[in-house]
C-alpha cells in the first residue's frame, strides 16, 4: 500500500450538477482548494491534462472519470469524488474521439509524481468492484461515501 490519501466528507459532492466535464473538474477542484490540499493553479493543470489525456473509463457498474494533473500546486495528497446527476460526458481514455456518460468522478491530487500510478491503480480496483461502486452510487451522505472510499483506498479507519 502506498501513501495515505486524504478523503474527507468535505471533498465529496453527491448529486453534482455540471454543465460539462470542465465544469465538473472546476467544482471538485474548488473543494480541494478550499480544503487547503491544492492551490488555484491545480485546476488549470488538471484541465490542461484532461484536454490531452482524457480520463473517462467504462466500468461494469457505470462510467467513471479519473482526472488528475501534475503535482504543481498540490500541498497534500487528497481525493475529491462526485456522484453526477445527471451524468456528465467525458472523453474516453482509450479512444479520445468518443465520449461516455460518467456517474462517478474521482479527482486526484498527489504531490509526489510516483504516487499517481499507485493511487490510480487502487481507484481502478475500487471501480472494478460492482459492490463498492453500488455503495458509492447509493451513499446517503458525503460522510458515508467518504468512508466507503477511504476504506477501499487507504484500507483502514479515517483519521
Amino acid at each position: 500500500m502506498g501513501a495515505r490519501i486524504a478523503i474527507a466528507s468535505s471533498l465529496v459532492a453527491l448529486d453534482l450538477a455540471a454543465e460539462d466535464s470542465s465544469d465538473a473538474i472546476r467544482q471538485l477542484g474548488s473543494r480541494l482548494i478550499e480544503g487547503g490540499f491544492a492551490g488555484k493553479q491545480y485546476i488549470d493543470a488538471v484541465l490542461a491534462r484532461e484536454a490531452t489525456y482524457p480520463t473517462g473509463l467504462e466500468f461494469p457498474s457505470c462510467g467513471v472519470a479519473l482526472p488528475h494533473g501534475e503535482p504543481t500546486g498540490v500541498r497534500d495528497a487528497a481525493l475529491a469524488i462526485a456522484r453526477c446527476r445527471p451524468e456528465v460526458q467525458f472523453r474516453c481514455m482509450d479512444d479520445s474521439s468518443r465520449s461516455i456518460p460518467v456517474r462517478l468522478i474521482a479527482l486526484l491530487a498527489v504531490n509526489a509524481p510516483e504516487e499517481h500510478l499507485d493511487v490510480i491503480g487502487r481507484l481502478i480496483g475500487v471501480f472494478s468492484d460492482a459492490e463498492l461502486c453500488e455503495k458509492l452510487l447509493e451513499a446517503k451522505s458525503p460522510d458515508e461515501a467518504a468512508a466507503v472510499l477511504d476504506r477501499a483506498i487507504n484500507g483502514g479507519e479515517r483519521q
Side-chain angles (χ1 to χ4, degrees), residues 28-96:
L28 275 181
S30 293
R31 289 174 180 263
L32 290 168
I33 292 165
E34 290 166 12
F37 296 101
K40 291 181 181 178
Q41 69 272 36
Y42 188 67
I43 293 173
D44 291 334
V46 173
L47 290 170
R49 189 187 184 290
E50 189 72 22
T52 306
Y53 302 104
T55 61
L57 292 167
E58 294 177 289
F59 287 92
S61 296
C62 67
V64 174
L66 304 173
H68 55 281
E70 297 300 317
T72 305
V74 176
R75 296 180 186 115
D76 292 305
L79 183 65
I81 188 157
R83 179 177 65 200
C84 302
R85 289 194 189 161
E87 295 169 321
V88 176
Q89 294 291 319
F90 270 77
R91 290 186 309 132
C92 287
M93 185 181 287
D94 60 354
D95 179 1
S96 63

Side-chain angles (χ1 to χ4, degrees), residues 107-124:
L107 175 58
L108 174 63
V110 296
N111 48 5
E114 64 276 4
E115 291 178 13
H116 269 106
L117 290 178
D118 175 57
V119 178
I120 289 172
R122 288 190 258 167
L123 286 168
I124 288 172

Side-chain angles (χ1 to χ4, degrees), residues 98-138:
R98 197 167 66 88
S99 291
I100 61 165
V102 164
R103 292 270 323 269
L104 295 171
I105 303 169
L107 175 58
L108 174 63
V110 296
N111 48 5
E114 64 276 4
E115 291 178 13
H116 269 106
L117 290 178
D118 175 57
V119 178
I120 289 172
R122 288 190 258 167
L123 286 168
I124 288 172
V126 168
F127 297 122
S128 296
D129 183 319
E131 184 179 329
L132 285 174
C133 261
E134 193 62 29
K135 285 180 180 179
L136 290 170
L137 290 169
E138 298 302 322

